[in-house]
Amino acid sequence: MKLNNLITCSAFWLTFSFLHLTVSYHAMSTNALGNETDRIALLKFKESVSDDPYGVLRSWNDSTHFCSWNGVTCGHRHQRVTGLKLRDYKLSGNISPYIRNLTFLRSFNLMNNSFFGEIPYQVCHLSRLQNLALSLNKLQGELSSLNLSYCLELKRVKSWREQTYRANSH
């Protein structure tokens, strides 16, 4: 009888340990994949910048973790990009559609630069986005044409025309 209990107990702990390791590995690999997705999205954003007169994006390279790059803020828990603040750097270029892959992004501030072209519709899919500041750029199109309803947390939008909108206020 004691041997049966010992075997049952050992089997339980072996199963529990295996499940714990599997869940831990999944969490680590998901986090690592998310980190890689964020890194690639930031590098694609950098590629779309045609002029960086102050060299602010020079730190965006493989020698440092992207959470240490100029203008990038990451959450402490998952090391995912939560903020991109690149205002007043005289950057020019397009806003990369890869911005959509920054799924933890809460604040996106490109005010007072020279970004041009359309705002990519992919911005509409940033469900955690709370603040979007694009004023004082050379962007075309209308914010109203973007479906911002996916941005459930969006509280403040500043367009390039310095108009303030409130969407989905809680």
Side-chain angles (χ1 to χ4, degrees):
M1 188 65 137
K2 286 183 179 180
L3 185 59
N4 260 352
N5 286 342
L6 183 61
I7 291 171
T8 303
C9 187
S10 295
F12 169 77
W13 281 109
L14 185 61
T15 302
F16 176 78
S17 296
F18 175 75
L19 287 174
H20 178 71
L21 286 173
T22 302
V23 169
S24 296
Y25 173 76
H26 177 71
M28 287 188 319
S29 63
T30 301
N31 190 30
L33 290 174
N35 283 345
E36 183 62 14
T37 301
D38 285 3
R39 188 181 76 78
I40 290 169
L42 291 170
L43 289 173
K44 290 292 187 181
F45 180 87
K46 179 183 178 182
E47 283 178 17
S48 71
V49 173
S50 55
D51 192 22
D52 177 9
Y54 298 134
V56 74
L57 302 181
R58 233 181 270 136
S59 69
W60 292 31
N61 57 54
D62 290 331
S63 66
T64 58
H65 191 272
F66 63 83
C67 290
S68 299
W69 292 353
N70 289 330
V72 176
T73 304
C74 291
H76 297 291
R77 184 174 179 201
H78 297 293
Q79 293 294 294
R80 301 292 305 271
V81 176
T82 58
L84 191 55
K85 183 180 178 185
L86 295 169
R87 65 176 293 167
D88 302 319
Y89 289 122
K90 299 192 185 310
L91 299 171
S92 65
N94 289 302
I95 299 173
S96 170
Y98 282 87
I99 200 74
R100 177 187 184 164
N101 294 335
L102 299 176
T103 56
F104 281 70
L105 193 64
R106 291 193 304 255
S107 182
F108 186 37
N109 187 337
L110 299 178
M111 287 178 61
N112 198 23
N113 283 292
S114 295
F115 285 96
F116 53 85
E118 299 282 330
I119 301 170
Y121 75 89
Q122 289 85 349
V123 169
C124 302
H125 296 281
L126 297 169
S127 63
R128 291 179 172 92
L129 192 64
Q130 295 175 7
N131 295 297
L132 176 63
L134 303 173
S135 60
L136 303 172
N137 279 287
K138 299 173 183 175
L139 296 166
Q140 300 170 354
E142 294 291 329
L143 277 177
S144 59
S145 67
L146 295 175
N147 183 359
L148 295 175
S149 63
Y150 292 108
C151 299
L152 301 175
E153 301 294 320
L154 191 62
K155 295 180 178 123
R156 186 169 160 222
V157 178
K158 279 199 148 193
S159 78
W160 54 97
R161 292 188 180 92
E162 281 296 310
Q163 298 170 345
T164 302
Y165 300 90
R166 296 209 181 272
N168 301 323
S169 296
H170 302 302

